[in-house]
Amino acid sequence: MILHELISYDVLRLIWWLLLGVLLVGFAVTDGFDLGAMGLLRATAKTDVERRTAINSVGPVWEGNQVWLIAGAGALFAAWPVVYAAAFSVLYVPFMFLLFGLFLRPVGFDYRSKLPSVKWRTNWDRALFVGGLLPTMMLGGTLGFMIQGSPFRFDNEMHIFYGEFNLNLPLLVSTIVMAIVLMVLHGAAFLQTKTDGVLRERARRTVHIFAYLSVVSMVLTALIITKTVTGYVITEQVSPNEV
């Protein structure tokens, strides 16, 4: 029996959106703590041994955590290739920075201990810090951009054309700050669980501080959204098979 006779398009669309949501939430939950741990590498870990401990805490899992993001992008392409094309075209530049930040982590993990030089390891620690902070900033900025929305249309040959766009800077800044705060909170909570001694104590203090900051950042972002975002408007008829 043909699939569309068993499941209506509306139900199938809901299933795909739920799957996409699960994949993206899975990435935020799992990859969030190793991004946060690397973002805190130079703040909570003061000695080489402590930094090696922090790196080893995420070493067994960080590769698997990134699969959630890849699977989410693949699911979006499989279900709605036109939506994939529209989103990835307008977000091309931030996604390039996102990938650059993600590339720094495996290189940093592999090369940091190749030489005993203090300068060598310090530079790779900085690279790992950027590898944790930069993707978080790009994901937060992408969230703000998607909440605001970008006007676009398709011509008869399905070429994408984008309209005038007025950047909502307060929303963009607030979502980036919120993402960083949540990333730090997540990473600190992970380090508090996986380490001990002085490193664990520093992580515990960070958790207490950023727990309050996370509430403030989320409330502020919500207020900015309420005041500045009016919603989405469909100005042209779209194909029901594409969205």
Side-chain angles (χ1 to χ4, degrees):
M1 186 174 289
I2 301 176
L3 181 62
H4 70 76
E5 295 179 356
L6 295 174
I7 304 177
S8 67
Y9 175 74
D10 289 337
V11 174
L12 187 60
R13 179 172 58 183
L14 178 61
I15 292 173
W16 271 103
W17 278 119
L18 286 174
L19 174 61
L20 183 60
V22 168
L23 292 173
L24 294 179
V25 170
F27 171 75
V29 171
T30 58
D31 206 49
F33 65 75
D34 57 58
L35 288 174
M38 293 303 97
L40 286 170
L41 186 61
R42 293 177 58 81
T44 57
K46 303 298 185 179
T47 66
D48 183 70
V49 173
E50 291 176 352
R51 290 173 183 172
R52 188 71 259 175
T53 301
I55 292 172
N56 288 342
S57 68
V58 302
V61 295
W62 71 269
E63 288 182 290
N65 294 341
Q66 291 189 171
V67 175
W68 291 89
L69 181 62
I70 300 171
L76 181 61
F77 177 77
W80 301 286
V82 175
V83 176
Y84 175 92
F88 277 65
S89 294
V90 74
L91 296 171
Y92 183 84
V93 173
F95 280 177
M96 288 299 99
F97 282 102
L98 169 65
L99 291 176
F100 174 75
L102 294 177
F103 290 159
L104 285 175
R105 287 193 299 170
V107 179
F109 290 154
D110 288 340
Y111 282 89
R112 182 185 183 275
S113 298
K114 294 295 184 182
L115 295 177
S117 169
V118 174
K119 184 177 181 181
W120 171 270
R121 295 188 176 188
T122 300
N123 287 334
W124 281 116
D125 289 341
R126 291 169 179 164
L128 289 172
F129 167 75
V130 174
L133 181 64
L134 186 58
T136 304
M137 293 177 62
M138 294 301 103
L139 291 171
T142 298
L143 175 62
F145 187 86
M146 297 302 292
I147 291 175
Q148 180 182 357
S150 175
F152 67 93
R153 65 180 180 82
F154 295 96
D155 63 10
N156 293 332
E157 297 180 350
M158 297 303 292
H159 295 153
I160 304 174
F161 295 89
Y162 296 94
E164 294 184 3
F165 179 76
N166 296 320
L167 184 63
N168 188 338
L169 190 58
L171 176 60
L172 186 65
V173 172
S174 68
T175 53
I176 290 175
V177 171
M178 180 181 68
I180 293 174
V181 169
L182 292 175
M183 178 269 291
V184 171
L185 175 62
H186 200 173
F190 178 79
L191 291 176
Q192 181 183 355
T193 303
K194 294 295 184 178
T195 61
D196 54 20
V198 178
L199 184 56
R200 181 180 184 275
E201 181 60 26
R202 294 195 192 106
R204 186 188 66 82
R205 291 198 298 266
T206 304
V207 167
H208 288 172
I209 295 172
F210 278 83
Y212 294 107
L213 292 178
S214 65
V215 175
V216 174
S217 64
M218 286 188 288
V219 171
L220 180 60
T221 301
L223 290 175
I224 292 175
I225 293 174
T226 302
K227 297 296 183 180
T228 62
V229 179
T230 58
Y232 300 103
V233 177
I234 299 177
T235 58
E236 298 179 11
Q237 184 64 36
V238 295
S239 170
N241 295 322
E242 299 294 347
V243 296

